Amino acid sequence: MRQTQLHLTDEDRSLVDEIRSKGLHQAREVNRAHALSSLDRGVPEAQIMAVLGMGRTAVWRTRAAYLQGGLELAVFDVARPGRPRQYDTDDEARVTALACSAPPAGRQRWTMVELERAARQAPGMANVSRETVRRMLKKTISSPGAS
């Protein structure tokens, strides 16, 4: 099988060597840098896969990413957006203010069940769960020893 030639620029070659030799980098990044360096030197894919423990697809994707978008795209992971937040900081502030307010009549303090019921009355929070309310409060209320 014929291998697509890959030639790193002098600047990219020095950056790849830096990633391979010093600094803190994720193992995937170092592996990709090793693969690019090997491809640049003309090492066959089969040997790269055997030595680095990479699959053929990983070698292909690393080469294609370098040819398409350069060193940044080939070596480093692209940031992933993650799941969007269901409740924003205003909702968290509303729940925190509720927890800091006077408890319901006949109670000395708020319980999680009562906080959940009260939070569900707020607009846009009809489906808030007890666990979500607990996590909101855990993030916003400081610990007893903190000043």
Side-chain angles (χ1 to χ4, degrees):
M1 178 174 197
R2 207 175 96 218
Q3 184 171 311
T4 305
Q5 293 295 316
L6 178 90
H7 299 289
L8 297 174
T9 63
D10 291 335
E11 181 182 335
D12 286 347
R13 194 173 294 118
S14 66
L15 287 172
V16 164
D17 288 339
E18 276 186 32
I19 292 169
R20 291 172 57 206
S21 63
K22 57 185 168 182
L24 289 174
H25 299 283
Q26 294 181 0
R28 288 187 306 240
E29 295 170 355
V30 174
N31 245 6
R32 291 175 192 150
H34 282 304
L36 285 175
S37 178
S38 299
L39 289 169
D40 183 45
R41 287 182 276 129
V43 176
E45 285 179 8
Q47 190 174 353
I48 294 170
M49 293 184 311
V51 171
L52 295 179
M54 295 175 79
R56 182 177 303 266
T57 308
V59 176
W60 288 347
R61 284 184 180 156
T62 303
R63 178 193 299 113
Y66 179 77
L67 293 173
Q68 183 182 17
L71 189 64
E72 284 289 320
L73 187 63
V75 174
F76 301 104
D77 291 329
V78 177
R80 298 177 184 174
R83 182 177 177 206
R85 292 177 59 146
Q86 189 171 3
Y87 302 105
D88 60 4
T89 53
D90 292 339
D91 296 330
E92 290 177 5
R94 206 174 302 135
V95 170
T96 304
L98 185 64
C100 293
S101 68
R107 298 285 189 172
Q108 285 186 327
R109 62 178 60 102
W110 284 97
T111 64
M112 290 306 296
V113 175
E114 291 166 342
L115 278 172
E116 174 195 8
R117 286 186 192 139
R120 285 183 177 207
Q121 302 302 316
M125 294 185 69
N127 295 327
V128 71
S129 70
R130 190 174 325 143
E131 177 64 13
T132 303
V133 171
R134 185 194 68 79
R135 274 188 266 124
M136 286 178 182
L137 292 174
K138 184 176 181 183
K139 278 197 314 190
T140 56
I141 295 178
S142 63
S143 60
S147 297

